[in-house]
PDB file of all heavy atoms in Angstrom:
ATOM      1  N   LEU N   1      21.571 -59.729 -11.480  1.00  0.00           N
ATOM      2  CA  LEU N   1      22.876 -60.312 -11.148  1.00  0.00           C
ATOM      3  C   LEU N   1      23.123 -61.655 -11.829  1.00  0.00           C
ATOM      4  O   LEU N   1      24.278 -62.021 -12.074  1.00  0.00           O
ATOM      5  CB  LEU N   1      23.002 -60.465  -9.632  1.00  0.00           C
ATOM      6  CG  LEU N   1      22.940 -59.163  -8.843  1.00  0.00           C
ATOM      7  CD1 LEU N   1      22.985 -59.456  -7.352  1.00  0.00           C
ATOM      8  CD2 LEU N   1      24.053 -58.219  -9.251  1.00  0.00           C
ATOM      9  N   ALA N   2      22.073 -62.387 -12.137  1.00  0.00           N
ATOM     10  CA  ALA N   2      22.213 -63.727 -12.729  1.00  0.00           C
ATOM     11  C   ALA N   2      22.973 -63.694 -14.053  1.00  0.00           C
ATOM     12  O   ALA N   2      23.602 -64.683 -14.437  1.00  0.00           O
ATOM     13  CB  ALA N   2      20.841 -64.368 -12.912  1.00  0.00           C
ATOM     14  N   LYS N   3      22.950 -62.572 -14.731  1.00  0.00           N
ATOM     15  CA  LYS N   3      23.674 -62.429 -16.004  1.00  0.00           C
ATOM     16  C   LYS N   3      25.194 -62.465 -15.817  1.00  0.00           C
ATOM     17  O   LYS N   3      25.932 -62.631 -16.767  1.00  0.00           O
ATOM     18  CB  LYS N   3      23.301 -61.098 -16.663  1.00  0.00           C
ATOM     19  CG  LYS N   3      21.845 -60.909 -16.926  1.00  0.00           C
ATOM     20  CD  LYS N   3      21.594 -59.493 -17.416  1.00  0.00           C
ATOM     21  CE  LYS N   3      20.203 -59.054 -17.046  1.00  0.00           C
ATOM     22  NZ  LYS N   3      19.985 -57.634 -17.264  1.00  0.00           N
ATOM     23  N   HIS N   4      25.637 -62.310 -14.567  1.00  0.00           N
ATOM     24  CA  HIS N   4      27.070 -62.185 -14.285  1.00  0.00           C
ATOM     25  C   HIS N   4      27.654 -63.422 -13.596  1.00  0.00           C
ATOM     26  O   HIS N   4      28.788 -63.376 -13.122  1.00  0.00           O
ATOM     27  CB  HIS N   4      27.314 -60.953 -13.417  1.00  0.00           C
ATOM     28  CG  HIS N   4      26.839 -59.697 -14.064  1.00  0.00           C
ATOM     29  ND1 HIS N   4      27.592 -59.005 -14.984  1.00  0.00           N
ATOM     30  CD2 HIS N   4      25.657 -59.028 -13.953  1.00  0.00           C
ATOM     31  CE1 HIS N   4      26.904 -57.955 -15.409  1.00  0.00           C
ATOM     32  NE2 HIS N   4      25.736 -57.940 -14.792  1.00  0.00           N
ATOM     33  N   ILE N   5      26.877 -64.506 -13.536  1.00  0.00           N
ATOM     34  CA  ILE N   5      27.365 -65.743 -12.923  1.00  0.00           C
ATOM     35  C   ILE N   5      27.180 -66.899 -13.891  1.00  0.00           C
ATOM     36  O   ILE N   5      26.431 -66.799 -14.862  1.00  0.00           O
ATOM     37  CB  ILE N   5      26.658 -66.038 -11.571  1.00  0.00           C
ATOM     38  CG1 ILE N   5      25.170 -66.265 -11.762  1.00  0.00           C
ATOM     39  CG2 ILE N   5      26.925 -64.899 -10.584  1.00  0.00           C
ATOM     40  CD1 ILE N   5      24.447 -66.729 -10.501  1.00  0.00           C
ATOM     41  N   ASP N   6      27.860 -68.005 -13.622  1.00  0.00           N
ATOM     42  CA  ASP N   6      27.741 -69.217 -14.431  1.00  0.00           C
ATOM     43  C   ASP N   6      26.635 -70.111 -13.889  1.00  0.00           C
ATOM     44  O   ASP N   6      26.180 -69.941 -12.746  1.00  0.00           O
ATOM     45  CB  ASP N   6      29.067 -69.992 -14.405  1.00  0.00           C
ATOM     46  CG  ASP N   6      30.196 -69.227 -15.074  1.00  0.00           C
ATOM     47  OD1 ASP N   6      29.932 -68.464 -16.018  1.00  0.00           O
ATOM     48  OD2 ASP N   6      31.350 -69.405 -14.646  1.00  0.00           O
ATOM     49  N   GLY N   7      26.238 -71.092 -14.671  1.00  0.00           N
ATOM     50  CA  GLY N   7      25.163 -71.997 -14.296  1.00  0.00           C
ATOM     51  C   GLY N   7      25.449 -72.840 -13.067  1.00  0.00           C
ATOM     52  O   GLY N   7      24.518 -73.323 -12.416  1.00  0.00           O
ATOM     53  N   ASN N   8      26.703 -73.024 -12.714  1.00  0.00           N
ATOM     54  CA  ASN N   8      27.037 -73.835 -11.537  1.00  0.00           C
ATOM     55  C   ASN N   8      27.303 -72.981 -10.292  1.00  0.00           C
ATOM     56  O   ASN N   8      27.702 -73.496  -9.255  1.00  0.00           O
ATOM     57  CB  ASN N   8      28.232 -74.737 -11.829  1.00  0.00           C
ATOM     58  CG  ASN N   8      29.518 -73.954 -12.046  1.00  0.00           C
ATOM     59  OD1 ASN N   8      29.496 -72.801 -12.474  1.00  0.00           O
ATOM     60  ND2 ASN N   8      30.639 -74.582 -11.770  1.00  0.00           N
ATOM     61  N   ASP N   9      27.075 -71.673 -10.373  1.00  0.00           N
ATOM     62  CA  ASP N   9      27.263 -70.771  -9.235  1.00  0.00           C
ATOM     63  C   ASP N   9      25.976 -70.676  -8.426  1.00  0.00           C
ATOM     64  O   ASP N   9      24.895 -70.996  -8.918  1.00  0.00           O
ATOM     65  CB  ASP N   9      27.646 -69.370  -9.721  1.00  0.00           C
ATOM     66  CG  ASP N   9      28.968 -69.343 -10.462  1.00  0.00           C
ATOM     67  OD1 ASP N   9      29.836 -70.183 -10.150  1.00  0.00           O
ATOM     68  OD2 ASP N   9      29.127 -68.486 -11.348  1.00  0.00           O
ATOM     69  N   GLU N  10      26.106 -70.221  -7.169  1.00  0.00           N
ATOM     70  CA  GLU N  10      24.939 -69.999  -6.327  1.00  0.00           C
ATOM     71  C   GLU N  10      24.813 -68.509  -6.026  1.00  0.00           C
ATOM     72  O   GLU N  10      25.819 -67.820  -5.842  1.00  0.00           O
ATOM     73  CB  GLU N  10      25.049 -70.756  -4.989  1.00  0.00           C
ATOM     74  CG  GLU N  10      24.987 -72.250  -5.123  1.00  0.00           C
ATOM     75  CD  GLU N  10      26.357 -72.894  -5.172  1.00  0.00           C
ATOM     76  OE1 GLU N  10      27.351 -72.274  -4.744  1.00  0.00           O
ATOM     77  OE2 GLU N  10      26.446 -74.024  -5.661  1.00  0.00           O
ATOM     78  N   LEU N  11      23.561 -68.057  -5.950  1.00  0.00           N
ATOM     79  CA  LEU N  11      23.260 -66.658  -5.667  1.00  0.00           C
ATOM     80  C   LEU N  11      22.035 -66.607  -4.765  1.00  0.00           C
ATOM     81  O   LEU N  11      21.033 -67.269  -5.040  1.00  0.00           O
ATOM     82  CB  LEU N  11      22.973 -65.913  -6.979  1.00  0.00           C
ATOM     83  CG  LEU N  11      22.525 -64.453  -6.874  1.00  0.00           C
ATOM     84  CD1 LEU N  11      23.642 -63.577  -6.322  1.00  0.00           C
ATOM     85  CD2 LEU N  11      22.076 -63.948  -8.244  1.00  0.00           C
ATOM     86  N   LEU N  12      22.121 -65.841  -3.686  1.00  0.00           N
ATOM     87  CA  LEU N  12      21.019 -65.676  -2.743  1.00  0.00           C
ATOM     88  C   LEU N  12      20.749 -64.186  -2.586  1.00  0.00           C
ATOM     89  O   LEU N  12      21.668 -63.405  -2.343  1.00  0.00           O
ATOM     90  CB  LEU N  12      21.386 -66.277  -1.383  1.00  0.00           C
ATOM     91  CG  LEU N  12      20.413 -66.053  -0.230  1.00  0.00           C
ATOM     92  CD1 LEU N  12      19.114 -66.818  -0.483  1.00  0.00           C
ATOM     93  CD2 LEU N  12      21.046 -66.474   1.086  1.00  0.00           C
ATOM     94  N   VAL N  13      19.473 -63.788  -2.722  1.00  0.00           N
ATOM     95  CA  VAL N  13      19.059 -62.399  -2.530  1.00  0.00           C
ATOM     96  C   VAL N  13      17.879 -62.406  -1.562  1.00  0.00           C
ATOM     97  O   VAL N  13      16.862 -63.031  -1.834  1.00  0.00           O
ATOM     98  CB  VAL N  13      18.658 -61.731  -3.864  1.00  0.00           C
ATOM     99  CG1 VAL N  13      18.252 -60.289  -3.646  1.00  0.00           C
ATOM    100  CG2 VAL N  13      19.789 -61.826  -4.883  1.00  0.00           C
ATOM    101  N   VAL N  14      18.020 -61.714  -0.422  1.00  0.00           N
ATOM    102  CA  VAL N  14      17.012 -61.735   0.630  1.00  0.00           C
ATOM    103  C   VAL N  14      16.693 -60.302   1.046  1.00  0.00           C
ATOM    104  O   VAL N  14      17.606 -59.509   1.294  1.00  0.00           O
ATOM    105  CB  VAL N  14      17.518 -62.520   1.869  1.00  0.00           C
ATOM    106  CG1 VAL N  14      16.476 -62.533   2.965  1.00  0.00           C
ATOM    107  CG2 VAL N  14      17.935 -63.928   1.487  1.00  0.00           C
ATOM    108  N   ASP N  15      15.401 -59.980   1.164  1.00  0.00           N
ATOM    109  CA  ASP N  15      14.981 -58.675   1.682  1.00  0.00           C
ATOM    110  C   ASP N  15      15.114 -58.718   3.199  1.00  0.00           C
ATOM    111  O   ASP N  15      14.462 -59.516   3.863  1.00  0.00           O
ATOM    112  CB  ASP N  15      13.534 -58.401   1.274  1.00  0.00           C
ATOM    113  CG  ASP N  15      13.055 -57.022   1.688  1.00  0.00           C
ATOM    114  OD1 ASP N  15      13.630 -56.421   2.628  1.00  0.00           O
ATOM    115  OD2 ASP N  15      12.082 -56.552   1.091  1.00  0.00           O
ATOM    116  N   ILE N  16      15.962 -57.872   3.758  1.00  0.00           N
ATOM    117  CA  ILE N  16      16.181 -57.849   5.211  1.00  0.00           C
ATOM    118  C   ILE N  16      15.713 -56.534   5.831  1.00  0.00           C
ATOM    119  O   ILE N  16      16.071 -56.214   6.963  1.00  0.00           O
ATOM    120  CB  ILE N  16      17.661 -58.116   5.560  1.00  0.00           C
ATOM    121  CG1 ILE N  16      18.572 -57.056   4.948  1.00  0.00           C
ATOM    122  CG2 ILE N  16      18.075 -59.507   5.125  1.00  0.00           C
ATOM    123  CD1 ILE N  16      20.000 -57.099   5.486  1.00  0.00           C
ATOM    124  N   THR N  17      14.887 -55.794   5.105  1.00  0.00           N
ATOM    125  CA  THR N  17      14.460 -54.476   5.555  1.00  0.00           C
ATOM    126  C   THR N  17      13.779 -54.519   6.917  1.00  0.00           C
ATOM    127  O   THR N  17      14.062 -53.714   7.792  1.00  0.00           O
ATOM    128  CB  THR N  17      13.516 -53.834   4.512  1.00  0.00           C
ATOM    129  OG1 THR N  17      14.197 -53.797   3.267  1.00  0.00           O
ATOM    130  CG2 THR N  17      13.118 -52.434   4.928  1.00  0.00           C
ATOM    131  N   ALA N  18      12.875 -55.444   7.114  1.00  0.00           N
ATOM    132  CA  ALA N  18      12.068 -55.468   8.338  1.00  0.00           C
ATOM    133  C   ALA N  18      12.636 -56.399   9.407  1.00  0.00           C
ATOM    134  O   ALA N  18      12.014 -56.605  10.438  1.00  0.00           O
ATOM    135  CB  ALA N  18      10.642 -55.884   8.005  1.00  0.00           C
ATOM    136  N   GLY N  19      13.800 -56.938   9.171  1.00  0.00           N
ATOM    137  CA  GLY N  19      14.365 -57.895  10.116  1.00  0.00           C
ATOM    138  C   GLY N  19      15.181 -57.241  11.211  1.00  0.00           C
ATOM    139  O   GLY N  19      15.352 -56.032  11.267  1.00  0.00           O
ATOM    140  N   SER N  20      15.649 -58.062  12.112  1.00  0.00           N
ATOM    141  CA  SER N  20      16.572 -57.592  13.132  1.00  0.00           C
ATOM    142  C   SER N  20      17.938 -58.195  12.842  1.00  0.00           C
ATOM    143  O   SER N  20      18.052 -59.154  12.093  1.00  0.00           O
ATOM    144  CB  SER N  20      16.083 -57.985  14.525  1.00  0.00           C
ATOM    145  OG  SER N  20      16.073 -59.384  14.657  1.00  0.00           O
ATOM    146  N   ALA N  21      18.966 -57.631  13.448  1.00  0.00           N
ATOM    147  CA  ALA N  21      20.322 -58.102  13.159  1.00  0.00           C
ATOM    148  C   ALA N  21      21.173 -58.086  14.420  1.00  0.00           C
ATOM    149  O   ALA N  21      20.951 -57.280  15.322  1.00  0.00           O
ATOM    150  CB  ALA N  21      20.965 -57.219  12.088  1.00  0.00           C
ATOM    151  N   ALA N  22      22.123 -58.973  14.465  1.00  0.00           N
ATOM    152  CA  ALA N  22      23.128 -59.012  15.525  1.00  0.00           C
ATOM    153  C   ALA N  22      24.441 -59.421  14.875  1.00  0.00           C
ATOM    154  O   ALA N  22      24.455 -60.197  13.935  1.00  0.00           O
ATOM    155  CB  ALA N  22      22.724 -60.011  16.606  1.00  0.00           C
ATOM    156  N   TRP N  23      25.548 -58.885  15.377  1.00  0.00           N
ATOM    157  CA  TRP N  23      26.841 -59.199  14.773  1.00  0.00           C
ATOM    158  C   TRP N  23      27.942 -59.014  15.796  1.00  0.00           C
ATOM    159  O   TRP N  23      27.753 -58.433  16.852  1.00  0.00           O
ATOM    160  CB  TRP N  23      27.095 -58.327  13.541  1.00  0.00           C
ATOM    161  CG  TRP N  23      27.079 -56.860  13.835  1.00  0.00           C
ATOM    162  CD1 TRP N  23      28.140 -56.078  14.215  1.00  0.00           C
ATOM    163  CD2 TRP N  23      25.957 -55.987  13.813  1.00  0.00           C
ATOM    164  NE1 TRP N  23      27.752 -54.785  14.412  1.00  0.00           N
ATOM    165  CE2 TRP N  23      26.397 -54.700  14.180  1.00  0.00           C
ATOM    166  CE3 TRP N  23      24.607 -56.168  13.520  1.00  0.00           C
ATOM    167  CZ2 TRP N  23      25.549 -53.606  14.246  1.00  0.00           C
ATOM    168  CZ3 TRP N  23      23.764 -55.084  13.592  1.00  0.00           C
ATOM    169  CH2 TRP N  23      24.238 -53.820  13.951  1.00  0.00           C
ATOM    170  N   THR N  24      29.112 -59.498  15.426  1.00  0.00           N
ATOM    171  CA  THR N  24      30.297 -59.324  16.254  1.00  0.00           C
ATOM    172  C   THR N  24      31.538 -59.412  15.376  1.00  0.00           C
ATOM    173  O   THR N  24      31.497 -60.013  14.296  1.00  0.00           O
ATOM    174  CB  THR N  24      30.357 -60.364  17.392  1.00  0.00           C
ATOM    175  OG1 THR N  24      31.433 -60.038  18.270  1.00  0.00           O
ATOM    176  CG2 THR N  24      30.548 -61.768  16.863  1.00  0.00           C
ATOM    177  N   GLY N  25      32.605 -58.808  15.809  1.00  0.00           N
ATOM    178  CA  GLY N  25      33.892 -58.963  15.147  1.00  0.00           C
ATOM    179  C   GLY N  25      34.195 -57.984  14.032  1.00  0.00           C
ATOM    180  O   GLY N  25      35.280 -58.026  13.467  1.00  0.00           O
ATOM    181  N   PHE N  26      33.271 -57.080  13.704  1.00  0.00           N
ATOM    182  CA  PHE N  26      33.523 -56.133  12.629  1.00  0.00           C
ATOM    183  C   PHE N  26      34.209 -54.881  13.165  1.00  0.00           C
ATOM    184  O   PHE N  26      34.014 -54.493  14.316  1.00  0.00           O
ATOM    185  CB  PHE N  26      32.216 -55.736  11.932  1.00  0.00           C
ATOM    186  CG  PHE N  26      31.577 -56.859  11.177  1.00  0.00           C
ATOM    187  CD1 PHE N  26      30.377 -57.398  11.591  1.00  0.00           C
ATOM    188  CD2 PHE N  26      32.194 -57.388  10.060  1.00  0.00           C
ATOM    189  CE1 PHE N  26      29.786 -58.437  10.903  1.00  0.00           C
ATOM    190  CE2 PHE N  26      31.614 -58.435   9.354  1.00  0.00           C
ATOM    191  CZ  PHE N  26      30.407 -58.958   9.773  1.00  0.00           C
ATOM    192  N   ASP N  27      34.979 -54.212  12.305  1.00  0.00           N
ATOM    193  CA  ASP N  27      35.595 -52.956  12.719  1.00  0.00           C
ATOM    194  C   ASP N  27      34.519 -51.883  12.870  1.00  0.00           C
ATOM    195  O   ASP N  27      33.340 -52.104  12.552  1.00  0.00           O
ATOM    196  CB  ASP N  27      36.701 -52.537  11.748  1.00  0.00           C
ATOM    197  CG  ASP N  27      36.208 -52.198  10.353  1.00  0.00           C
ATOM    198  OD1 ASP N  27      35.044 -51.775  10.182  1.00  0.00           O
ATOM    199  OD2 ASP N  27      36.999 -52.325   9.408  1.00  0.00           O
ATOM    200  N   SER N  28      34.901 -50.711  13.343  1.00  0.00           N
ATOM    201  CA  SER N  28      33.917 -49.664  13.653  1.00  0.00           C
ATOM    202  C   SER N  28      33.177 -49.170  12.409  1.00  0.00           C
ATOM    203  O   SER N  28      31.987 -48.862  12.490  1.00  0.00           O
ATOM    204  CB  SER N  28      34.577 -48.499  14.378  1.00  0.00           C
ATOM    205  OG  SER N  28      35.576 -47.909  13.578  1.00  0.00           O
ATOM    206  N   ASP N  29      33.839 -49.097  11.265  1.00  0.00           N
ATOM    207  CA  ASP N  29      33.160 -48.657  10.042  1.00  0.00           C
ATOM    208  C   ASP N  29      32.064 -49.630   9.631  1.00  0.00           C
ATOM    209  O   ASP N  29      30.946 -49.223   9.299  1.00  0.00           O
ATOM    210  CB  ASP N  29      34.154 -48.486   8.889  1.00  0.00           C
ATOM    211  CG  ASP N  29      35.048 -47.282   9.051  1.00  0.00           C
ATOM    212  OD1 ASP N  29      34.684 -46.364   9.811  1.00  0.00           O
ATOM    213  OD2 ASP N  29      36.117 -47.264   8.415  1.00  0.00           O
ATOM    214  N   CYS N  30      32.376 -50.916   9.657  1.00  0.00           N
ATOM    215  CA  CYS N  30      31.390 -51.934   9.288  1.00  0.00           C
ATOM    216  C   CYS N  30      30.234 -51.946  10.284  1.00  0.00           C
ATOM    217  O   CYS N  30      29.067 -52.004   9.892  1.00  0.00           O
ATOM    218  CB  CYS N  30      32.042 -53.318   9.220  1.00  0.00           C
ATOM    219  SG  CYS N  30      33.207 -53.491   7.854  1.00  0.00           S
ATOM    220  N   SER N  31      30.533 -51.892  11.565  1.00  0.00           N
ATOM    221  CA  SER N  31      29.491 -51.879  12.592  1.00  0.00           C
ATOM    222  C   SER N  31      28.629 -50.634  12.497  1.00  0.00           C
ATOM    223  O   SER N  31      27.400 -50.703  12.632  1.00  0.00           O
ATOM    224  CB  SER N  31      30.108 -51.986  13.984  1.00  0.00           C
ATOM    225  OG  SER N  31      30.612 -53.266  14.205  1.00  0.00           O
ATOM    226  N   SER N  32      29.235 -49.483  12.263  1.00  0.00           N
ATOM    227  CA  SER N  32      28.484 -48.236  12.160  1.00  0.00           C
ATOM    228  C   SER N  32      27.497 -48.281  11.006  1.00  0.00           C
ATOM    229  O   SER N  32      26.358 -47.832  11.127  1.00  0.00           O
ATOM    230  CB  SER N  32      29.428 -47.055  11.976  1.00  0.00           C
ATOM    231  OG  SER N  32      30.167 -46.835  13.141  1.00  0.00           O
ATOM    232  N   TRP N  33      27.932 -48.806   9.857  1.00  0.00           N
ATOM    233  CA  TRP N  33      27.023 -48.885   8.719  1.00  0.00           C
ATOM    234  C   TRP N  33      25.820 -49.733   9.086  1.00  0.00           C
ATOM    235  O   TRP N  33      24.679 -49.365   8.799  1.00  0.00           O
ATOM    236  CB  TRP N  33      27.735 -49.460   7.494  1.00  0.00           C
ATOM    237  CG  TRP N  33      26.945 -49.258   6.220  1.00  0.00           C
ATOM    238  CD1 TRP N  33      27.142 -48.263   5.313  1.00  0.00           C
ATOM    239  CD2 TRP N  33      25.849 -50.043   5.745  1.00  0.00           C
ATOM    240  NE1 TRP N  33      26.230 -48.387   4.293  1.00  0.00           N
ATOM    241  CE2 TRP N  33      25.427 -49.470   4.523  1.00  0.00           C
ATOM    242  CE3 TRP N  33      25.189 -51.164   6.201  1.00  0.00           C
ATOM    243  CZ2 TRP N  33      24.371 -49.977   3.785  1.00  0.00           C
ATOM    244  CZ3 TRP N  33      24.117 -51.683   5.457  1.00  0.00           C
ATOM    245  CH2 TRP N  33      23.722 -51.083   4.263  1.00  0.00           C
ATOM    246  N   LEU N  34      26.054 -50.874   9.700  1.00  0.00           N
ATOM    247  CA  LEU N  34      24.947 -51.749  10.086  1.00  0.00           C
ATOM    248  C   LEU N  34      24.013 -51.045  11.078  1.00  0.00           C
ATOM    249  O   LEU N  34      22.788 -51.084  10.910  1.00  0.00           O
ATOM    250  CB  LEU N  34      25.489 -53.049  10.686  1.00  0.00           C
ATOM    251  CG  LEU N  34      26.251 -53.951   9.712  1.00  0.00           C
ATOM    252  CD1 LEU N  34      26.963 -55.059  10.469  1.00  0.00           C
ATOM    253  CD2 LEU N  34      25.316 -54.516   8.652  1.00  0.00           C
ATOM    254  N   LYS N  35      24.554 -50.401  12.081  1.00  0.00           N
ATOM    255  CA  LYS N  35      23.732 -49.685  13.071  1.00  0.00           C
ATOM    256  C   LYS N  35      22.893 -48.606  12.427  1.00  0.00           C
ATOM    257  O   LYS N  35      21.741 -48.398  12.793  1.00  0.00           O
ATOM    258  CB  LYS N  35      24.634 -49.063  14.153  1.00  0.00           C
ATOM    259  CG  LYS N  35      25.199 -50.042  15.124  1.00  0.00           C
ATOM    260  CD  LYS N  35      26.111 -49.322  16.115  1.00  0.00           C
ATOM    261  CE  LYS N  35      26.879 -50.303  16.952  1.00  0.00           C
ATOM    262  NZ  LYS N  35      27.863 -49.637  17.836  1.00  0.00           N
ATOM    263  N   ASN N  36      23.468 -47.899  11.472  1.00  0.00           N
ATOM    264  CA  ASN N  36      22.778 -46.771  10.859  1.00  0.00           C
ATOM    265  C   ASN N  36      21.802 -47.155   9.744  1.00  0.00           C
ATOM    266  O   ASN N  36      20.964 -46.335   9.354  1.00  0.00           O
ATOM    267  CB  ASN N  36      23.782 -45.774  10.293  1.00  0.00           C
ATOM    268  CG  ASN N  36      24.595 -45.104  11.371  1.00  0.00           C
ATOM    269  OD1 ASN N  36      24.122 -44.900  12.485  1.00  0.00           O
ATOM    270  ND2 ASN N  36      25.832 -44.772  11.051  1.00  0.00           N
ATOM    271  N   ASN N  37      21.914 -48.368   9.249  1.00  0.00           N
ATOM    272  CA  ASN N  37      21.119 -48.736   8.066  1.00  0.00           C
ATOM    273  C   ASN N  37      20.191 -49.933   8.250  1.00  0.00           C
ATOM    274  O   ASN N  37      19.338 -50.165   7.402  1.00  0.00           O
ATOM    275  CB  ASN N  37      22.048 -48.991   6.874  1.00  0.00           C
ATOM    276  CG  ASN N  37      22.696 -47.720   6.407  1.00  0.00           C
ATOM    277  OD1 ASN N  37      22.085 -46.918   5.718  1.00  0.00           O
ATOM    278  ND2 ASN N  37      23.938 -47.505   6.797  1.00  0.00           N
ATOM    279  N   LEU N  38      20.369 -50.688   9.311  1.00  0.00           N
ATOM    280  CA  LEU N  38      19.466 -51.828   9.526  1.00  0.00           C
ATOM    281  C   LEU N  38      18.479 -51.527  10.623  1.00  0.00           C
ATOM    282  O   LEU N  38      18.660 -50.712  11.452  1.00  0.00           O
ATOM    283  CB  LEU N  38      20.270 -53.079   9.878  1.00  0.00           C
ATOM    284  CG  LEU N  38      21.216 -53.599   8.812  1.00  0.00           C
ATOM    285  CD1 LEU N  38      21.907 -54.873   9.319  1.00  0.00           C
ATOM    286  CD2 LEU N  38      20.483 -53.896   7.516  1.00  0.00           C
TER     287      LEU N  38
END
């Protein structure tokens, strides 16, 4: 991805495979994806 940003941009990439998650405010499609994939 770094090839697609400028030198003054910020980019964060984090492995969240083994983590837990909590959220609020998303529509049903967004929430369903998170429930099914995290």
Side-chain angles (χ1 to χ4, degrees):
L1 298 176
K3 302 173 208 169
H4 301 277
I5 63 173
D6 295 329
N8 67 333
D9 297 330
E10 292 96 20
L11 175 66
L12 173 68
V13 181
V14 180
D15 184 338
I16 60 168
T17 304
S20 64
W23 59 89
T24 188
F26 293 112
D27 65 27
S28 61
D29 288 339
C30 292
S31 289
S32 291
W33 194 98
L34 294 169
K35 286 178 190 175
N36 294 329
N37 291 282
L38 297 182

